[in-house]
Amino acid sequence: MLTIAGSDSGGGAGLQADLRTLALLGVHALAAVTAVTVQNSLGVKGFHEVPPGIIEGQVEAVVTDIGIQAAKTGLLPSAASVETVAGCWRGLGLAESAPLVVDPVCASSRGEALLDPAALDALRIELFPLASLITPNLDEVRLLAGIEVTDPASQRRAARALHDLGPRWVLVKGGHLRSVPRSPDLLFDGADFHLFDAPRIDNVNDHGAGDTLSAAVAGALAHGYPMPEAVGFGKAWVTACLNEAYPLGGGRGTVSASFRLRT
Ligand code: PXL
């Protein structure tokens, strides 16, 4: 499968989280790099966007030669990069052949803004209609749908509003829903709601959790799981990874799938 994502030099989130997750799921990961972040456990210090033509070249090179069963997007750092990926999807006819998970990365888990308003518009207008699944957290729901999710009713309202933008499925993640004791993720296909409820793991070392979830879901789709089962797998996976998260440097550490390496 293909991940289209940014590099995190701290090794916690982004492309590095995707590659780690997919390797453990037995999925060969093709990688189109969208941005290089200068980052450590304390924060994002710098940023270099990969030119859209090079993003397009990477996608086209691997899709036309190797082929994909599924794909995910992580950080798409500008409107131009979002439009480029959407253009590749339409041009290569991928919407029909490979499920696309769009993780609408808008801010880091430390709250640092990573996208400007034009890029948010491009996500909504160009990419969401091509997505099999979008996986916003509650900060991203606020930025993308203008809805403040505070309880299960507003979580359902947000899922409907985001579904209206065109993705086949929406997963409104509940990890940041502080009004309830657990972490309820709500999946919606325009007709039915599926709730994926798990214990909230209050681990400060949660860098890369969202990327790990969307990579695990996309990896499960690549293995042929139907969407609700793929989301259930991803939710269980990221919960286990939060349980084993470890500290790094002087700031925030990262989620870990070391449980997978025990015999
Ligand atoms: O976790 C979201 C994310 C994704 N991709 C990159 C990031 C981050 C958060 O910092 O740096 C490259």
Side-chain angles (χ1 to χ4, degrees), residues 6-102:
S7 167
D8 168 6
S9 52
L15 184 62
Q16 285 77 1
D18 291 349
L19 298 181
R20 214 167 41 227
T21 303
L22 294 168
L24 290 169
L25 298 185
V27 175
H28 179 78
L30 308 168
V33 186
T34 59
V36 177
T37 68
V38 180
Q39 188 171 173
N40 60 20
S41 73
L42 297 168
V44 178
K45 322 276 179 207
F47 195 84
H48 173 70
E49 187 182 335
V50 172
I54 300 292
I55 298 175
E56 181 179 4
Q58 294 172 85
V59 172
E60 201 178 312
V62 296
V63 165
T64 56
D65 170 37
I66 300 169
I68 55 172
Q69 280 71 46
K72 72 156 272 192
T73 59
L75 176 61
L76 297 172
S78 64
S81 63
V82 175
E83 283 156 11
T84 295
V85 171
C88 287
W89 238 248
R90 287 189 292 261
L92 295 165
L94 291 169
E96 294 76 40
S97 59
L100 174 64
V101 177
V102 173

Side-chain angles (χ1 to χ4, degrees), residues 185-209:
D185 291 1
L186 188 66
L187 181 67
F188 183 57
D189 66 353
D192 298 312
F193 290 103
H194 305 251
L195 191 66
F196 297 90
D197 181 57
R200 167 169 299 118
I201 315 295
D202 265 322
N203 194 326
V204 65
N205 301 310
D206 63 355
H207 194 48

